[in-house]
Amino acid sequence: APADAALAAAPAKEIDAMKTFRSFIPPLAAMLLAAAGGASAQGVLIDRSEIRFVSKQMGVNVEGRFRRWKASVDFRPGDLARSGAGFEIDLASIDLASEESEAEVRRAPWFDTAKFPVAKFASTGIRSLGGDRYEIAGTLSLKGLAQDVVVPVALKRDAAGNSVAEGEFKGRRLDFKVGEGMWADTDAIANDVTVRVRMVLPPAR
């Protein structure tokens, strides 16, 4: 398997650490954004929404999500200039299906949650792409660093009349110094991270 080959080629002192991360990859990059696709000035239905991410570790896809986050969305299809979205993610709430990996990613080389507990996104503009598709520009702040990002979002309605915004975009973990030291090697852990977001908002009242 690719992961086993990578371990065999690694220096002996790094093998144990790499094994710890076989099922882990703290991608992160802009995790949040896409949620900005909202649909009204209503609260996001957190229990029906999610922020997930996918990256590659030694050539193998690894998925994760965040258990705790909050969002403020004001989406006005007829007045995009007055629309906006903001998000905050509790980085310590990362879910990698492994307590050992989750504890590791909270450490300084990764998210450093003791010093930087929250990642934030604030939109700076929303534009229509036609056909219930939108593009959201904004600033992502993570680990004391900020990057401008653009997220495509598709909007639809579910059977209950809720607005559902779904988006997918790529970010780069090293832009935020996530995975420093020996983990900065992009041959072992990919720099690119795919973020997939699904946000559900109730009908405007």
Side-chain angles (χ1 to χ4, degrees), residues 13-170:
K13 68 179 181 179
E14 297 181 4
I15 290 179
D16 288 341
M18 280 189 170
K19 286 181 177 178
T20 297
F21 287 84
R22 289 186 69 117
S23 63
F24 155 74
I25 207 345
L28 67 321
M31 314 147 278
L32 352 111
L33 333 178
S40 67
Q42 302 296 111
V44 174
L45 300 177
I46 299 294
D47 60 334
R48 301 184 190 180
S49 306
E50 63 179 4
I51 298 174
R52 307 190 67 85
F53 50 81
V54 182
S55 190
K56 288 185 181 294
Q57 179 187 351
M58 292 175 282
V60 178
N61 282 344
V62 178
E63 294 193 35
R65 69 183 181 100
F66 290 92
R67 299 180 180 95
R68 294 187 300 275
W69 48 272
K70 58 185 179 180
S72 174
V73 177
D74 184 355
F75 181 66
R76 312 180 190 199
D79 192 357
L80 294 180
R82 296 178 62 193
S83 299
F87 296 85
E88 291 189 5
I89 292 180
D90 178 353
L91 295 176
S93 74
I94 191 169
D95 179 0
L96 296 165
S98 165
E99 292 184 3
E100 183 179 14
S101 295
E102 291 158 11
E104 175 62 27
V105 77
R106 296 182 186 111
R107 297 178 60 245
W110 299 96
F111 285 153
D112 195 1
T113 59
K115 187 174 181 181
F116 306 103
V118 176
K120 298 181 180 181
F121 170 78
S123 65
T124 55
I126 301 176
R127 74 184 185 97
S128 174
L129 300 178
D132 290 327
R133 295 178 303 116
Y134 298 86
E135 193 173 74
I136 300 159
T139 301
L140 175 69
S141 300
L142 176 66
K143 205 174 179 182
L145 300 170
Q147 293 285 334
D148 292 333
V149 296
V150 177
V151 185
V153 174
L155 190 64
K156 63 183 180 181
R157 298 271 182 185
D158 65 15
N162 298 313
S163 294
V164 181
E166 296 181 327
E168 177 177 312
F169 61 96
K170 291 186 182 295

Side-chain angles (χ1 to χ4, degrees), residues 171-185:
R172 296 185 297 270
R173 66 182 178 88
L174 294 179
D175 286 350
F176 299 93
K177 296 186 178 179
V178 172
E180 298 185 89
M182 72 181 198
W183 301 115
D185 180 3

